[in-house]
Amino acid sequence: MVLYSEIYNVFNTMERVVRMTKMEIIEQLKNIKDQWANDSKGEINADVIIEALTDIIHDTEGNDGMDFTEVYDDSHYENFENVDFTALEVN
C-alpha cells in the first residue's frame, strides 16, 4: 500500500503541474482581451482569438489536443506493407 500511495501522490502532483490554475487561465484570458483591445492594426481577428482560446483549453486539459484513443486494426497496417517503392525516384 505504501508504493500505491507514493505512485498516487506522484500522479496527483504531475496533474497539478500540467493543468493550469484558475488564476493562470484568468490571466491568459485577460491577455487575449487586452491584445484585442489594443490591436490598432486590425491583426487580431476571430481566427486568432479562437486559436488562442483553443491553446488555453489544451493547456487547461493538460494535452495538446491530440487524441490517441483511435484503435488501428490489421487493415490499417497492411496499407504500409503494400507500398511499392520500386518506382520511387530519389533526387
Side-chain angles (χ1 to χ4, degrees):
M1 280 301 181
V2 173
L3 181 59
Y4 172 79
S5 178
E6 289 178 19
I7 292 172
Y8 182 76
N9 289 338
V10 167
F11 282 111
N12 278 341
T13 302
M14 288 173 53
E15 183 174 331
R16 283 194 299 270
V17 169
V18 170
R19 295 181 188 270
M20 295 175 70
T21 66
K22 182 178 176 181
M23 289 308 300
E24 289 172 328
I25 295 168
I26 291 169
E27 289 302 317
Q28 289 291 329
L29 293 173
K30 285 181 180 179
N31 183 29
I32 292 169
K33 178 184 164 196
D34 290 344
Q35 288 185 37
W36 175 80
N38 297 321
D39 180 28
S40 60
K41 296 181 182 178
E43 296 174 333
I44 299 177
N45 58 20
D47 290 336
V48 173
I49 293 173
I50 294 299
E51 183 178 341
L53 293 175
T54 302
D55 288 344
I56 292 173
I57 292 168
H58 292 164
D59 291 345
T60 304
E61 291 175 336
N63 65 42
D64 61 359
M66 300 295 288
D67 181 15
F68 296 106
T69 59
E70 186 173 343
V71 177
Y72 297 107
D73 59 0
D74 290 337
S75 65
H76 174 79
Y77 295 104
E78 287 174 2
N79 294 334
F80 300 116
E81 295 170 1
N82 297 330
V83 176
D84 180 18
F85 289 106
T86 59
L88 181 65
E89 293 181 21
V90 180
N91 295 326

